[in-house]
Amino acid sequence: MRRFAFVLLLLAAAPAFAEDVKPVFPGPTKDGGFLLPNGWTLTPVGQHAVTTDLPLNIIPLKDNTHALVASSGFNSHDLMLVNIVGEPKIVAKMTNRQSWYGLATNADESKIWWSGGGQGSLHTFDWKDSKLVRSSPADADLPKLPPSEIEKLAEALGNAATFKSGLHFDAKTDILYSLDIHHQKDAKDKESPKEGRIHATNTKDNTTRVAVIGGRPYDVVVGPGGHQIFVSDWAGQRVLVLDPVTLKVEKKIGVGEHPNQMALDAKRGKLYVACASSNSVCVIDTHRGHLVETIYTSLFPKAPSGSTPDALALSPDGETLYVANADNNCIAVIDLDDAKMSHVKGFIPTGWYPTSVAVTPDGKNILVGVGKGLQSKANPRFTKEELEKVEKDEVKAIARKLMPYPYIGTTMSGALSVIPVPGDAKLKEYTAQVYRNCPYSDSQLTLAPHKDKTAIPTKVGDPSPIKYVVYIIKENRTYDQVFGDLAAGKTPKGNGDPSLCMFPRNVTPNHHKLAEEFVLLDNLYCNGQVSRDGHPWSTMAYHTDYTARDWHLTYSRRKGVDDDDEGSLQNAPSGHIWDACKRKGISYRSYGEAGKRVSDGQGGFKMEGRVPNLVGHFCPNYGIPKGTRTRDTDKAEVFLTEYDAFTKAKTMPQFIVMSLGEDHTDGTKTGSFTPQACVASNDLALGRIVEHISNGPLWKETAIFVIEDDAQYGPDHVDAHRTVGLVISPYTKRKHVDSTQYATVSLIRTMELILGLPPLSQYDAAARPMFNSFTATADATAYKHLPAEIDLTAKNDKMAYGADRSNKMDFSEYDKIDDFELNEILWHAIKGKDALEPPAVRRAIAFRVQNLKK
């Protein structure tokens, strides 16, 4: 009861929907905070030392004046010795090519082990006279190699059969336990099975025992008395209990979704397990071997996925547990004093996406590793001085050879925050601030107030005149790349930059006509930063802690963590939007999205759903033959044939999701269709689909939503996340420019309200629905598509700009290639070999503004 009473007392601080008076862009706020892209505000407390991104490990040392901090993000992977007295300062640092979660020291702190992640080994160091001394082999001197050799070596380093994870040193036995989050016997065979393993190494004689334990083991802890070993299975919703002698799994204890870090209270026999996608900490009685308590760390009692607890730490007296809520940007403070009923005592505001937390041995300070830094940043062109600095950094040097401005991953930083343990009065103040920073409240699970009546319901489950939703996901374009030219001419429209337009009206006549006849969205942003998280955001309104961490590795050309066959690590518990349809009894069908090739039993193949609830709900003929790409115009014909059959039989699915991604292009690959021909094919396909539906019997009850999964790497003068989007329906406003700030989750929230679906996560719940794009009165005028104005069959010749590099890329599926390099090729292929590349602009964008009740 105390947990819920605490939350209810703070509901007055919960935000409510407010009408946007004028566009508001994130940045510094009046009260000293910082408004982020997702509508959350940062007000980090304490003192901070800036680090590289994703500090996954913190070990406070016994002297109470230093801490070891290890980062494992997009940028350099650093092991840092930080002086935490006064203003925190990095006093020593070692850098490795690749690392991961897993850091341990021996009893006297003279030996340090650090997980090597995809490098497949452990990094080891000695700490002598306040200095870090490397005792394991150093990485190759990558920055001095030419870029082509760097890429070859980076690939070789990523081919290790093993991905190292959590570590634990047992001082009583001198045994170092280390995990392989997955091990593959044949690293060259991508299809060979992967298995989780544990190693037990006697550090005295250097002998090692190895056992297969399965799953995706993340963290390891030795239980009280050394009689048990506990391992969290990141993908398996379980904690494995192992015998320390045989290393065999003796028991499996069920816990929440995505269990990651653990903390042991040996005195009380309690094991605390952070469960990222369940917004909770599971408490295991180590003596009885079962779950005894679940403590929810979210700010509101009904909150769906979106708090993402990913790290935790106990106070030295065992009476307080500190939990990092990564996606809520705070630390939950849990009172454990009453053994019968733990409760959330309050929250502490942190920087962006905390990824680690620890408490100093004297219990006076909380140490927080901030994954994405203390604010978002822009990325203007490199200065001369910055270029010289960048060339010394291997990761940034790879990016630098392509573009003259920072890649989004290189703009990220991390931080170590040192926060004095707050008393009750200060914690109350901190808690109130955390609630003011939050754009979500439980009321938004059912209500989305709006002053004007439109076709979009303001309450989940209320009727809508729209009965059928078609959701089209395209690939990787910014607003200015397509609509920049709309700002030019006699009647300029929207906030565009014509100089950045790569696919203007003659290439995309239907996109332009649709935006002009219906609604032009010039303030729409992708939630995802790259395709790896763009598709989860586009279909789940969330990305898990796995996706949030792993894309930093793969996009920096390191080895990532392989998911299991069921996709357990990347799938959120609320599932995808089609899962919500199934729960509600709403019919649905996919055309290309989340699909895979399977045998048709006749020597060929067909397309089928890659995830369980799409099996049997997938168009078998809508796909990509191996080694070639079907044109989007061909895909449109497949869809429209089925559409007519459904219409005739009166069995039209209420929700359709479609991948229509030829606008990704094949670059300038010799013999492939030119970039302009690919984009024009995509444009013609969209035009034909809209025309056909608008002339059909279900048009008066249909809405079509179109967006790119992400807008990575493209030029845009407002923000590199700004993207191309369309809403098309008889109930859409005509000839209207809607400059309301929207995001990917705004489209999802709008579709959910139409279909009567509850939100999937805290993000779509808090998103502003697209009320301002709709009316309550239908205009059933049909759309007439425009024919292509360029040759759709035009192909690249061997002299095309970047043809040699495009020929080496794998275009068999979208996003198997380096989009950063592809975008550079596209820019010069279209604008000219000597065209000056535009600087990408990175700005935090909020999709709505909240009225916060103090």
Side-chain angles (χ1 to χ4, degrees):
M1 289 297 295
R2 282 188 289 169
R3 283 170 50 203
F4 291 104
F6 162 77
V7 174
L8 290 173
L9 287 172
L10 288 164
L11 287 180
F17 280 103
E19 297 302 320
D20 288 333
V21 177
K22 61 180 180 179
V24 178
F25 293 86
T29 60
K30 293 181 180 178
D31 60 356
F34 194 95
L35 188 60
L36 283 175
N38 53 21
W40 294 70
T41 300
L42 296 179
T43 55
V45 298
Q47 292 186 297
H48 319 284
V50 175
T51 67
T52 46
D53 52 317
L54 291 190
L56 300 182
N57 301 277
I58 301 175
I59 296 180
L61 301 183
K62 295 177 181 178
D63 62 6
N64 290 303
T65 61
H66 292 88
L68 292 170
V69 181
S71 62
S72 304
F74 183 92
N75 298 287
S76 64
H77 288 194
D78 298 332
L79 175 63
M80 296 158 279
L81 180 65
V82 183
N83 188 322
I84 60 175
V85 177
E87 183 177 351
K89 183 179 180 181
I90 299 172
V91 296
K93 182 173 71 173
M94 287 287 182
T95 299
N96 288 299
R97 162 71 188 171
Q98 179 157 3
S99 66
W100 186 243
Y101 173 77
L103 188 67
T105 69
N106 64 353
D108 65 5
E109 300 175 336
S110 62
K111 299 288 184 182
I112 302 166
W113 297 273
W114 185 19
S115 172
Q119 187 165 307
S121 60
L122 299 182
H123 308 297
T124 61
F125 303 87
D126 296 328
W127 186 31
K128 297 180 179 178
D129 303 321
S130 297
K131 294 182 179 180
L132 292 172
V133 180
R134 188 188 301 272
S135 55
S136 58
D139 290 343
D141 194 0
L142 297 176
K144 294 182 180 179
L145 297 173
S148 60
E149 294 302 315
I150 289 177
E151 293 176 35
K152 291 178 182 178
L153 184 53
E155 181 178 358
L157 288 172
N159 280 336
T162 293
F163 193 103
K164 306 299 290 187
S165 186
L167 304 174
H168 180 89
F169 179 75
D170 184 4
K172 293 182 179 180
T173 61
D174 290 315
I175 293 177
L176 176 70
Y177 294 96
S178 64
L179 301 175
D180 296 340
I181 201 165
H182 58 72
H183 175 81
Q184 192 170 29
K185 291 182 179 180
D186 185 358
K188 295 181 180 179
D189 181 4
K190 300 300 183 183
E191 302 303 320
S192 63
K194 302 176 180 66
E195 57 193 19
R197 306 192 307 178
I198 186 170
H199 300 243
T201 301
N202 188 313
T203 59
K204 294 297 184 181
D205 60 18
N206 205 34
T207 58
T208 300
R209 293 172 290 133
V210 184
V212 175
I213 58 176
R216 292 292 184 268
Y218 185 90
D219 197 12
V220 56
V221 172
V222 174
H227 304 303
Q228 298 168 309
I229 301 171
F230 296 94
V231 175
S232 59
D233 182 356
W234 204 13
Q237 293 179 251
R238 61 189 182 179
V239 169
L240 308 177
V241 185
L242 280 59
D243 181 283
V245 177
T246 64
L247 298 182
K248 291 184 178 179
V249 178
E250 295 185 322
K251 191 171 185 178
K252 300 174 182 178
I253 304 172
V255 293
E257 295 272 356
H258 298 153
N260 44 64
Q261 191 172 344
M262 300 183 293
L264 176 70
D265 184 346
K267 182 178 179 181
R268 296 171 176 81
K270 296 285 184 69
L271 181 68
Y272 299 91
V273 186
C275 300
S277 291
S278 294
N279 297 343
S280 66
V281 172
C282 288
V283 186
I284 294 172
D285 185 319
T286 60
H287 300 303
R288 292 183 288 172
H290 68 264
L291 185 68
V292 294
E293 189 177 15
T294 299
I295 306 169
Y296 287 93
T297 64
S298 51
L299 275 63
F300 292 87
K302 296 181 181 179
S305 297
S307 292
T308 320
D310 64 351
L312 40 68
L314 277 166
S315 62
D317 61 10
E319 295 183 357
T320 306
L321 182 68
Y322 300 96
V323 184
N325 278 336
D327 276 307
N328 289 166
N329 309 314
C330 69
I331 300 295
V333 181
I334 300 172
D335 189 347
L336 306 175
D337 188 35
D338 186 345
K340 296 181 179 180
M341 186 171 64
S342 307
H343 67 280
V344 177
K345 188 178 180 181
F347 299 94
I348 300 172
T350 69
W352 193 1
Y353 205 87
T355 48
S356 52
V357 61
V359 185
T360 53
D362 60 11
K364 293 182 179 179
N365 290 296
I366 306 165
L367 309 180
V368 179
V370 178
K372 297 183 181 181
L374 305 176
Q375 64 178 59
S376 60
K377 298 177 181 179
N379 65 333
R381 286 183 180 276
F382 287 119
T383 64
K384 180 180 179 181
E385 293 75 17
E386 287 171 335
L387 282 176
E388 293 174 353
K389 184 178 180 180
V390 163
E391 293 297 342
K392 298 177 182 179
D393 185 296
E394 176 263 328
V395 174
K396 296 178 182 178
I398 293 176
R400 167 64 192 100
K401 75 187 180 81
L402 298 177
M403 300 294 262
Y405 52 84
Y407 172 58
I408 189 169
T410 67
T411 67
M412 294 182 176
S413 65
L416 175 69
S417 298
V418 181
I419 306 168
V421 172
D424 289 346
K426 179 60 71 173
L427 182 59
K428 183 177 180 180
E429 175 186 326
Y430 285 164
T431 300
Q433 183 62 56
V434 168
Y435 276 88
R436 287 194 293 270
N437 293 345
C438 171
Y440 168 84
S441 70
D442 280 348
S443 63
Q444 294 164 330
L445 295 175
T446 56
L447 298 175
H450 186 68
K451 62 183 180 64
D452 298 322
K453 180 177 176 58
T454 73
I456 310 302
T458 58
K459 182 179 180 181
V460 175
D462 279 358
S464 170
I466 300 171
K467 306 299 181 185
Y468 303 97
V469 170
V470 179
Y471 180 29
I472 298 175
I473 302 173
K474 301 186 330 97
E475 291 287 329
N476 305 9
R477 295 291 142 232
T478 66
Y479 177 92
D480 275 338
Q481 282 181 302
V482 178
F483 287 146
D485 60 337
L486 284 172
K490 296 181 179 179
T491 56
K493 302 178 186 69
N495 181 15
D497 184 343
S499 71
L500 300 181
C501 187
M502 297 170 61
F503 305 105
R505 188 183 296 270
N506 71 315
V507 180
T508 54
N510 286 289
H511 280 73
H512 283 69
K513 184 178 180 181
L514 287 166
E516 291 173 330
E517 287 196 3
F518 293 92
V519 177
L520 174 63
L521 304 169
D522 66 349
N523 208 8
L524 169 66
Y525 303 85
C526 288
N527 279 89
Q529 293 173 310
V530 297
S531 290
R532 182 70 181 279
D533 64 340
H535 281 277
W537 278 113
S538 298
T539 57
M540 294 194 302
Y542 181 61
H543 66 175
T544 65
D545 61 327
Y546 160 74
T547 304
R549 298 180 184 205
D550 195 59
W551 81 257
H552 292 262
L553 298 180
T554 56
Y555 276 72
S556 60
R557 301 190 181 185
R558 298 177 173 99
K559 183 177 180 179
V561 177
D562 289 328
D563 200 353
D564 62 10
D565 292 338
E566 286 71 41
S568 303
L569 285 172
Q570 58 192 305
N571 292 331
S574 295
H576 301 79
I577 189 169
W578 49 80
D579 299 315
C581 287
K582 182 175 182 178
R583 291 192 291 267
K584 191 71 174 180
I586 293 172
S587 55
Y588 59 93
R589 192 166 180 82
S590 175
Y591 293 82
E593 185 66 24
K596 64 179 180 180
R597 293 186 292 270
V598 298
S599 172
D600 63 3
Q602 300 177 356
F605 71 88
K606 63 179 181 179
M607 297 300 295
E608 186 53 276
R610 193 174 63 243
V611 293
N613 284 342
L614 279 186
V615 175
H617 297 265
F618 211 93
C619 177
N621 303 320
Y622 191 100
I624 307 169
K626 187 176 182 180
T628 64
R629 174 177 293 176
T630 302
R631 308 302 300 274
D632 276 356
T633 47
D634 297 331
K635 292 179 181 179
E637 292 305 314
V638 172
F639 165 70
L640 293 176
T641 297
E642 280 207 352
Y643 185 89
D644 287 343
F646 285 135
T647 301
K648 183 177 181 180
K650 297 184 178 180
T651 56
M652 178 61 63
Q654 291 175 261
F655 175 71
I656 288 171
V657 60
M658 182 187 305
S659 173
L660 199 71
E662 196 176 357
D663 60 330
H664 185 281
T665 83
D666 283 347
T668 53
K669 184 177 181 179
T670 304
S672 292
F673 298 108
T674 66
Q676 293 94 330
C678 289
V679 174
S681 172
N682 173 267
D683 176 82
L684 181 59
L686 179 63
R688 287 176 175 172
I689 289 171
V690 175
E691 177 180 297
H692 197 91
I693 293 175
S694 70
N695 281 282
L698 302 180
W699 171 234
K700 292 182 180 180
E701 301 174 290
T702 299
I704 303 170
F705 294 82
V706 184
I707 195 171
E708 312 283 320
D709 75 300
D710 68 80
Q712 62 175 317
Y713 314 129
D716 191 279
H717 82 284
V718 174
D719 187 276
H721 295 86
R722 195 169 66 136
T723 195
V724 176
L726 296 164
V727 286
I728 306 158
S729 171
Y731 290 94
T732 303
K733 291 180 180 178
R734 295 286 181 146
K735 303 183 186 302
H736 178 65
V737 177
D738 185 357
S739 295
T740 309
Q741 294 177 357
Y742 297 126
T744 305
V745 289
S746 298
L747 273 73
I748 294 176
R749 178 64 158 156
T750 307
M751 291 185 285
E752 289 167 340
L753 289 169
I754 290 171
L755 297 171
L757 303 175
L760 294 166
S761 75
Q762 295 177 34
Y763 295 98
D764 52 332
R768 174 169 291 285
M770 306 182 78
F771 293 122
N772 292 336
S773 289
F774 286 85
T775 70
T777 305
D779 179 348
T781 304
Y783 175 75
K784 176 67 174 177
H785 87 273
L786 295 175
E789 297 182 20
I790 67 170
D791 182 4
L792 298 187
T793 64
K795 294 185 177 181
N796 300 307
D797 60 35
K798 63 181 180 180
M799 299 304 293
Y801 180 88
D804 54 339
R805 287 180 284 153
S806 294
N807 291 340
K808 298 176 183 178
M809 295 180 178
D810 182 1
F811 291 100
S812 62
E813 292 183 17
Y814 303 132
D815 301 315
K816 278 194 171 184
I817 50 82
D818 184 341
D819 270 302
F820 188 66
E821 184 169 9
L822 175 61
N823 197 64
E824 181 266 341
I825 292 172
L826 293 179
W827 175 262
H828 290 296
I830 294 169
K831 293 289 189 178
K833 179 180 179 180
D834 298 322
L836 185 64
E837 299 156 17
V841 181
R842 313 287 183 185
R843 191 203 325 264
I845 300 296
F847 48 78
R848 67 188 180 90
V849 179
Q850 301 291 348
N851 284 334
L852 301 178
K853 298 179 181 178
K854 306 296 184 180

